[in-house]
Amino acid sequence: MKIVLSEYDFAWPKLFEEEKQILFTHLSSAEPVIEHIGSTAVTNLIAKPIIDIMAGLPDFGHADKLVPKIQELGYSYFPQYEDVMPHRRFFKKLSDGIATHHIHMVEIGSEFWIRHLLFRDYLRRNPAAALEYAGLKRDLAKKEWKDSNDFADAKGDFIRGIQKKAGFLSE
């Protein structure tokens, strides 16, 4: 499969904010902190045009009770990924069969939470690193991939390098 990347779209932050308000309203009893992550959260960075949302919970014990509420909003739930990442709940929203939004529900302060915020914030503060990342993504998008997870894995060394520079030292 080919990975389709889009030039940065200034509508992405607005799409995130709209979805954030909807999610916050439906999940407010769990006191979520909702963050825009991934490449669509970094101004001027090319990206797969999917809004990545991280819904952080102060108590991850509430996660399974929130799954139906997120599904009511038109998201599909993917429990099979919990074999690899048991402390994350993953959801996709589709429009005409194409993913438009992903939700990663995790605990605030978890490794996932910290890694993703550090990476996003580092790229936001370091345009040269964001440009380097864009170049890597462009090169990788030219290849044929079994699935999008393989594309994500191919970016892993770069991402871990940035996370280390940003202060995340876990391996």
Side-chain angles (χ1 to χ4, degrees):
M1 82 178 282
K2 285 288 190 187
I3 299 298
V4 177
L5 299 174
S6 297
E7 293 300 321
Y8 184 79
D9 186 335
F10 285 92
W12 289 339
K14 183 177 188 261
L15 293 171
F16 163 73
E17 287 298 332
E18 290 169 355
E19 202 69 13
K20 175 182 176 179
Q21 292 307 314
I22 293 167
L23 286 167
F24 191 79
T25 299
H26 281 77
L27 307 179
S28 62
S29 64
E31 301 176 352
V33 174
I34 301 172
E35 295 282 347
H36 188 184
I37 61 169
S39 294
T40 61
V42 180
T43 303
N44 294 322
L45 184 58
I46 63 168
K48 290 183 288 176
I50 301 168
I51 307 300
D52 275 302
I53 299 168
M54 187 164 59
L57 303 177
D59 178 1
F60 196 69
H62 296 291
D64 291 331
K65 292 180 268 184
L66 298 175
V67 168
K69 290 184 177 199
I70 294 173
Q71 288 175 305
E72 288 170 7
L73 298 173
Y75 284 86
S76 298
Y77 172 49
F78 293 84
Q80 63 269 31
Y81 297 128
E82 292 162 29
D83 293 343
V84 177
M85 301 178 90
H87 302 292
R88 178 188 75 153
R89 301 296 176 264
F90 179 70
F91 306 83
K92 282 185 188 181
K93 183 184 263 188
L94 304 176
S95 176
D96 297 325
I98 298 170
T100 60
H101 297 74
H102 290 167
I103 296 174
H104 310 266
M105 187 167 39
V106 299
E107 186 161 20
I108 295 170
S110 67
E111 180 180 313
F112 189 99
W113 177 266
I114 294 166
R115 282 187 303 111
H116 283 79
L117 292 180
L118 285 173
F119 183 70
R120 178 201 67 192
D121 293 347
Y122 188 90
L123 292 181
R124 284 177 171 176
R125 289 189 314 271
N126 294 279
L131 191 60
E132 184 180 355
Y133 187 45
L136 172 65
K137 289 170 38 165
R138 277 191 179 93
D139 288 345
L140 293 174
K142 294 174 186 172
K143 298 181 179 183
E144 192 68 34
W145 299 95
K146 186 177 102 184
D147 61 34
S148 61
N149 290 327
D150 289 339
F151 174 76
D153 290 345
K155 300 180 298 180
D157 287 343
F158 180 87
I159 291 169
R160 284 185 292 280
I162 294 295
Q163 289 170 341
K164 188 173 184 180
K165 288 178 185 177
F168 187 76
L169 303 175
S170 177
E171 292 297 319

